[in-house]
Amino acid sequence: VKYTYVVFPVLNCPPLPTWENIEASSADNSFGAMVNVSCAQGSSFTDNSTVVTTVCQADGQWSPPIGECIRKKPFHANMY
């Protein structure tokens, strides 16, 4: 019995964003790296979360992808 092995290259993911209002728990972008990405105080991702855990996949993509941290607008109650 002969076996044929197919080897697929494992890709590193691109570096995580370095925007001023975002912070990553690690700079590791190798396959399997799990990184917590958080928005600075007063900011959140578009889904209103402030922390996302992303994992570098074998195809070289972060999953879930990291969105942009958006500064929250201050709440002002209308006073009548």
Side-chain angles (χ1 to χ4, degrees):
V1 175
K2 286 188 170 184
Y3 294 96
T4 302
Y5 295 95
V6 178
V7 178
F8 295 97
V10 175
L11 305 173
N12 284 346
C13 289
L16 288 165
T18 55
W19 305 314
E20 77 177 52
N21 62 343
I22 196 168
E23 184 176 314
S25 63
S26 170
D28 187 0
N29 65 334
S30 61
F31 167 66
M34 183 180 293
V35 180
N36 292 321
V37 180
S38 57
C39 292
Q41 186 172 359
S43 299
S44 67
F45 293 105
T46 54
D47 66 355
N48 288 325
S49 66
T50 56
V51 178
V52 172
T53 300
T54 188
V55 178
C56 180
Q57 304 297 311
D59 65 357
Q61 299 296 313
W62 291 104
S63 182
I66 300 301
E68 186 178 355
C69 288
I70 306 209
R71 184 158 300 280
K72 296 177 184 177
K73 294 180 181 176
F75 175 76
H76 296 287
N78 290 336
M79 300 176 78
Y80 293 100

